[in-house]
Amino acid sequence: MTDASKPLPNPRHEAFARAIAAGHRLAPAYERAGFAGKSPRLSWELRHRPEVDGRIRWLLEERARADTRAYSRREKRSADLRERVLAELEAIAFSDPGEILNWERTPVLNADGEVTGFESTLQVKDSAKLSREARVHLPAPELEARN
């Protein structure tokens, strides 16, 4: 018996095994491998040769292992992303807006100097005076404009 992890010595047998492992049915795989003849018996016999069957089984197992590894990597990236997003949301939820914003109320005076109302303004503090933690929450354009 040959080592199933190595390609079959006959290139057409190898092509047939790969086509079957890729999900093709017997007749189309037989033709893809370059064999002629429409007899279903010929493709069935090739499929059930021990070395071809072993190679197909190994190719399918290898694909399953590769898919499992790829799935595990995606799950790890997703878990890391979830942790980062939760940490950022937690930082935003528990941050103090007063660290980066100033709310100023200035009186509005009439011609006689009497207060007739107030004008409110909200301003972003100078980023040079902010703590590193507060600076993280500034929108990028504001941060660039102030530095």
Side-chain angles (χ1 to χ4, degrees):
M1 183 135 214
T2 60
D3 181 6
S5 66
K6 294 190 172 133
L8 295 169
N10 184 326
R12 291 195 305 173
H13 290 186
E14 176 67 18
F16 178 77
R18 286 183 179 274
I20 292 293
H24 294 283
R25 294 179 13 187
L26 287 177
Y30 193 72
E31 290 174 12
R32 277 179 168 265
F35 291 103
K38 297 286 184 189
S39 171
R41 181 154 177 73
L42 295 174
S43 59
W44 187 91
E45 285 176 0
L46 180 58
R47 168 63 180 90
H48 290 89
R49 290 181 73 160
E51 66 276 10
V52 174
D53 186 53
R55 180 67 175 155
I56 292 168
R57 210 175 278 131
W58 186 86
L59 289 168
L60 290 171
E61 289 169 0
E62 185 60 25
R63 186 172 74 194
R65 281 190 293 273
D67 288 350
T68 301
R69 284 190 303 269
Y71 179 78
S72 295
R73 282 192 304 269
R74 280 193 307 273
E75 280 301 304
K76 181 169 180 355
R77 282 194 305 263
S78 293
D80 292 345
L81 178 61
R82 280 191 294 269
E83 287 177 26
R84 288 196 330 257
V85 167
L86 286 175
E88 183 63 23
L89 288 174
E90 184 178 283
I92 291 168
F94 297 110
S95 66
D96 178 12
E99 289 182 15
I100 60 172
L101 299 172
N102 276 335
W103 181 29
E104 294 180 9
R105 290 184 62 188
T106 55
V108 176
L109 306 175
N110 64 14
D112 297 330
E114 296 174 354
V115 176
T116 59
F118 290 91
E119 218 175 63
S120 296
T121 57
L122 192 60
Q123 296 176 342
V124 177
K125 291 182 181 177
D126 184 6
S127 63
K129 297 176 183 174
L130 296 177
S131 66
R132 184 174 189 277
E133 292 79 22
R135 208 174 301 146
V136 170
H137 298 292
L138 278 178
E142 282 294 324
L143 189 60
E144 289 172 9
R146 299 211 179 262
N147 286 334

